C-alpha cells in the first residue's frame, strides 16, 4: 500500500519539482522528461478600458421589503433568525446545564417552552424590523463581527444545539 502511494505521488509530481529536488526516481516517467511548449505560442493581453471615461460606481440595488422576499428560501430572514435563536439557545442550554445539571430535554419539560416561545418572538421581531425598513445586514457589518461571521456562528450554534441534544439523548443524561 505504501509503495503504491509513493509511486502515485512520484507520478503526479511536476518535472520542475523533481529536477529542483534532485529526486528523479520515477518508475513511470523518465527523470529527464520536461514537457515542451510550441515556439510560436504567444500570449496577448488587451485592455478595454478607455482613458477618457472614468468608472462610475454602480449603485447597490435596494433590498426588497416584501414579506415573501424576506422569508424566501434564499431570503435574508430565515437563516439569520434561526442562527440568532440557535446562538442564544446553545449558550443558555449550556449555562443551565452547568448551573443546575439539567439536560436539554429536562430544561424544555420543566418550564422551558414559555422561555423558548418568548425568546423566539422577541428575537424574530428584532431581526425583522430593520429588514422591513430596507436596511441590509451587510450594510451595518464592519470590524470584527461581520455579517458573514454572524452567519457562520449561527450555523455552528445550530449544529452544536442538535449535537448537544443528540449526545444527551444517546447518553441518557447530562454531559456534565
Amino acid at each position: 500500500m505504501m509503495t503504491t502511494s509513493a509511486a502515485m505521488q512520484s507520478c503526479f509530481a511536476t518535472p520542475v519539482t523533481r529536477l529542483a529536488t534532485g529526486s528523479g526516481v520515477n518508475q513511470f516517467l523518465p527523470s529527464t522528461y520536461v514537457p515542451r511548449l510550441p515556439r510560436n505560442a504567444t500570449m496577448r493581453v488587451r485592455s478595454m478600458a478607455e482613458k477618457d471615461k472614468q468608472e462610475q460606481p454602480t449603485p447597490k440595488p435596494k433590498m426588497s421589503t416584501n414579506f415573501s422576499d424576506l422569508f424566501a428560501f434564499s431570503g435574508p430572514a430565515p437563516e439569520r433568525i434561526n442562527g440568532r435563536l440557535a446562538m442564544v439557545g446553545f449558550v443558555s442550554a449550556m449555562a443551565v446545564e452547568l448551573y443546575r445539571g439539567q439536560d436539554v430535554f429536562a430544561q424544555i419539560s420543566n418550564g422551558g417552552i414559555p422561555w423558548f416561545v418568548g425568546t423566539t418572538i422577541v428575537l424574530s421581531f428584532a431581526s425583522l424590523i430593520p429588514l422591513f425598513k430596507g436596511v441590509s445586514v451587510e450594510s451595518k457589518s464592519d470590524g470584527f463581527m461581520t455579517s458573514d461571521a454572524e452567519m457562520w456562528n449561527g450555523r455552528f450554534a445550530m449544529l452544536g444545539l442538535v449535537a448537544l441534544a443528540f449526545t444527551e439523548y444517546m447518553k441518557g443524561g447530562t454531559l456534565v
Side-chain angles (χ1 to χ4, degrees), residues 3-122:
T3 57
T4 306
S5 176
M8 291 305 291
Q9 288 176 358
S10 64
C11 179
F12 290 115
T14 63
V16 175
T17 307
R18 283 196 312 265
L19 291 175
T21 60
S23 63
V25 179
N26 189 339
Q27 60 186 353
F28 299 114
L29 299 173
S31 63
T32 59
Y33 173 76
V34 177
R36 304 272 183 213
L37 294 175
R39 289 194 175 259
N40 59 0
T42 59
M43 185 169 125
R44 296 181 187 177
V45 177
R46 295 182 185 182
S47 174
M48 300 298 288
E50 295 179 16
K51 294 180 181 178
D52 299 336
K53 218 189 226 187
Q54 292 182 353
E55 292 185 25
Q56 297 291 332
T58 57
K60 292 183 180 177
K62 290 268 184 171
M63 194 176 98
S64 175
T65 59
N66 188 2
F67 184 81
S68 61
D69 290 340
L70 290 176
F71 280 98
F73 184 74
S74 62
E79 189 172 7
R80 283 216 193 273
I81 294 171
N82 287 336
R84 290 173 180 171
L85 288 171
M87 286 187 270
V88 169
F90 181 75
V91 170
S92 62
M94 288 301 294
V96 170
E97 184 169 334
L98 290 173
Y99 184 70
R100 291 188 185 165
Q102 294 179 336
D103 63 345
V104 175
F105 300 110
Q107 293 175 30
I108 292 171
S109 63
N110 293 334
I113 292 177
W115 284 102
F116 169 74
V117 172
T119 306
T120 301
I121 291 170
V122 169

